Amino acid sequence: MGHLTPFLRLAAMLCHHHCHVTLITPKPTVSNAESMLLSKFFSAFPQVNQLNLHLLPSSSGTANADPFFLQFDAIRRSCHLLHPLLSSLSPPLASFVYDMTLISPVLPVATAIGVPHYILFTSSASMFCFFSCFPNAAESICDSDGFDIPGFSYVSKSWIPPQLLDINAIFRKLFLEDSPKVTKLDGVFLNTFEEVESKTLKALNAGELVKDLPPVHALGPFVPCYEFEGLCETGEPLKWLDEQPDGSVLYVCFGSRTALESNQIREIGDGLLRSGFRFLWVMKGNKVDTEDEEKRLEGVLGIELVEKIIKENKGMVVKEWVDQRQILDHSAVGGFFSHCGWNSVMEAAFYGVPILGWPLAGDQKINAEFVVSNGGFGTWKKDWGWEGERLVRGEEIGDAIKELMSNESFFAKAEQVKMVARKAISIGGSSEINLHKLIEEWKK
Ligand code: BUP
């Protein structure tokens, strides 16, 4: 969802700018959330041309059984099938945008079609710096404490996803294979905005980091789209929020792919109760929603904790997909305990909600640091480690929540970031101008 959602938001933006959009979706999809979001999107935007990329099976013998990884592998192996789909389009393509994880397999197709082509890099400009410099820095990073990103803080080695430091890991190999090819693109799209990553974007676009880097376009924050999002009725949580005082509720969600161990889930429950603050907690028991057979909260939280939550009457726990956008937009929500997936960070910026970050995997520590150093609208706990690295106790969680929810300056900063974010995408704003310029180029 962290990749699909920004693609659909970008497609919606292009439709609003009267572009003729074709969306290519891999079939089959992995999760119910994906297929529901896609079908809502196509109902809301019937003018979008839908093409299916029928995937070849993922390579046999792959040791990694994560269904999302298998899907990623299957998509990479099927990219050559894009050529006949794309070359027969009418009207013919004016430009082509593809996912950041597909550079190597899509590049030959994009070059053969011969239209300007771009990747949508679904993270921050700082993370893109890291990605584009990785081949040059890979050796030295392993032997040093960290590295500098212009306009960002010093990135400590412990913030780098462990798979990138492991010389045998598949992700490291893919990073090393794809990254040098960014110079072959016509540009890179980012769901960020100049006002919060200006120095980093300037350094990238001045070629200070990588020679011959194509233009990097900040087009965000991508606006959550009322026309197709809202996979579910989110009725009960919203009704409950309506009854809570303004700014009093902590929203807790660790993204679409995080399924924490049950002992960690229980510590979170304990921490939420210890904090004394109201909370709305979206809890996932499985990585993929189709495999989630445990429908009862007691099955995951344990009867004792469920009873405590009911007795205290301060929190609501849901196991279903919620409409995060509507929750962050609700006046009762005063804080967001988040894994710092980049979409969640941008959504919190767009709705002006302070973040307590608990980065668990991938780019999330760098995203969490963005919240602290580029917006100042929250905090994160550097000693909590990656997912499963250690058991974070309820006491620590409770204290961190109190620190976030009682600090007025986070609210003030979040409000400022919200204003700047909205200005960036309004008419004459930095991101709106960037998108407009691209569309004008495509018309030529
Ligand atoms: Br869970 C959940 N409702 O219940 P990120 C997520 N979302 O709307 P991720 C919901 O999914 P990666 C839910 O608003 C955001 O747009 C949320 O993206 C939405 O994290 C998206 O925040 C989640 O980038 O992606 O899914 O962990 O692994 O790519 O970082």
Side-chain angles (χ1 to χ4, degrees):
M1 298 301 278
H3 291 243
L4 180 62
T5 307
F7 261 90
L8 297 185
R9 288 177 182 166
L10 175 64
M13 261 157 63
L14 293 169
C15 287
H16 292 144
H17 280 77
H18 311 291
C19 294
H20 189 116
V21 176
T22 292
L23 190 78
I24 304 165
T25 52
K27 285 285 158 75
T29 44
V30 179
S31 63
N32 286 334
E34 275 171 276
S35 44
M36 283 198 297
L37 191 66
L38 281 166
S39 87
K40 282 204 137 194
F41 177 84
F42 287 116
S43 312
F45 291 93
Q47 71 273 39
V48 170
N49 182 23
Q50 177 180 11
L51 289 182
N52 292 329
L53 175 67
H54 295 286
L55 298 180
L56 300 173
S58 57
S59 49
S60 58
T62 169
N64 191 327
D66 177 339
F68 289 105
F69 179 81
L70 295 178
Q71 177 81 341
F72 160 68
D73 181 52
I75 296 174
R76 276 182 76 103
R77 288 160 45 80
S78 309
C79 284
H80 60 284
L81 303 174
L82 286 169
H83 191 269
L85 288 179
L86 295 177
S87 53
S88 58
L89 280 176
S90 172
L93 283 184
S95 78
F96 177 31
V97 188
Y98 48 99
D99 189 79
M100 62 191 266
T101 58
L102 301 178
I103 298 179
S104 293
V106 172
L107 200 56
V109 179
T111 314
I113 303 282
V115 292
H117 58 104
Y118 309 82
I119 54 161
L120 172 55
F121 191 85
T122 57
S123 188
S124 62
S126 304
M127 190 61 200
F128 180 68
C129 277
F130 177 64
F131 174 72
S132 55
C133 296
F134 188 67
N136 292 334
E139 294 302 320
S140 55
I141 287 171
C142 284
D143 301 328
S144 66
D145 294 338
F147 63 99
D148 257 321
I149 290 182
F152 191 68
S153 83
Y154 183 75
V155 175
S156 136
K157 191 171 168 181
S158 64
W159 303 356
I160 299 170
Q163 298 98 318
L164 294 179
L165 298 174
D166 172 0
I167 54 166
N168 296 315
I170 294 179
F171 269 110
R172 180 180 163 103
K173 290 182 184 148
L174 294 179
F175 243 63
L176 288 170
E177 185 189 345
D178 283 9
S179 166
K181 297 182 182 145
V182 288
T183 56
K184 308 259 186 289
L185 306 168
D186 290 292
V188 176
F189 295 172
L190 292 175
N191 175 17
T192 187
F193 46 115
E194 288 175 6
E195 289 74 3
V196 283
E197 294 202 276
S198 66
K199 281 191 191 152
T200 314
L201 286 160
K202 271 194 190 124
L204 283 165
N205 281 325
E208 282 174 28
L209 298 156
V210 176
K211 205 169 142 275
D212 299 327
L213 196 70
V216 178
H217 307 272
L219 304 177
F222 290 174
V223 185
C225 186
Y226 278 78
E227 285 150 289
F228 71 90
E229 294 183 48
L231 293 181
C232 50
E233 286 310 314
T234 315
E236 284 305 310
L238 283 179
K239 241 190 266 161
W240 182 79
L241 284 175
D242 285 344
E243 289 157 15
Q244 313 307 317
D246 279 0
S248 67
V249 176
L250 178 76
Y251 167 56
V252 186
C253 179
F254 300 115
S256 62
R257 302 189 334 113
T258 309
L260 294 164
E261 293 292 332
S262 53
N263 56 349
Q264 185 59 79
I265 291 179
R266 286 173 199 179
E267 291 294 330
I268 294 173
D270 180 47
L272 290 168
L273 289 174
R274 279 172 188 268
S275 78
F277 284 91
R278 292 177 169 82
F279 60 87
L280 171 59
W281 179 14
V282 179
M283 195 195 53
K284 277 178 65 76
N286 283 72
K287 232 180 197 154
V288 186
D289 51 14
T290 46
E291 291 171 4
D292 199 354
E293 276 156 16
E294 180 54 88
K295 300 285 175 225
R296 298 162 318 123
L297 276 181
E298 295 84 342
V300 192
L301 283 182
I303 185 76
E304 207 183 316
L305 189 57
V306 172
E307 278 175 357
K308 261 197 199 162
I309 293 173
I310 294 171
K311 194 166 146 234
E312 301 249 339
N313 197 22
K314 275 193 161 175
M316 180 169 196
V317 190
V318 284
K319 275 188 92 252
E320 298 78 34
W321 186 263
V322 296
D323 188 354
Q324 177 159 300
R325 171 195 64 119
Q326 274 189 307
I327 291 172
L328 290 173
D329 196 19
H330 199 288
S331 59
V333 173
F336 183 10
F337 188 14
S338 168
H339 70 315
C340 293
W342 186 245
N343 295 292
S344 293
V345 171
M346 281 294 102
E347 287 160 18
F350 184 78
Y351 291 113
V353 181
I355 288 183
L356 166 59
W358 184 2
L360 297 163
D363 57 350
Q364 293 158 14
K365 288 194 182 184
I366 295 181
N367 301 345
E369 185 55 29
F370 163 92
V371 170
V372 174
S373 62
N374 291 39
F377 61 110
T379 177
W380 68 288
K381 295 290 143 196
K382 299 189 174 65
D383 61 340
W384 286 6
W386 295 106
E387 180 177 355
E389 207 171 301
R390 77 169 175 92
L391 187 68
V392 180
R393 294 286 179 190
E395 211 172 353
E396 300 170 84
I397 294 172
D399 287 347
I401 294 170
K402 284 187 218 157
E403 189 189 323
L404 178 85
M405 296 295 278
S406 324
N407 190 329
E408 282 297 324
S409 80
F410 292 141
F411 291 88
K413 288 273 174 51
E415 204 49 40
Q416 279 169 15
V417 170
K418 170 177 158 181
M419 306 297 249
V420 187
R422 288 176 184 227
K423 198 163 165 224
I425 52 165
S426 58
I427 295 180
S430 57
S431 294
E432 202 271 342
I433 291 176
N434 290 342
L435 181 63
H436 195 73
K437 278 190 199 153
L438 279 164
I439 295 174
E440 288 307 308
E441 267 174 43
W442 298 336
K443 283 187 190 159
K444 282 180 195 161

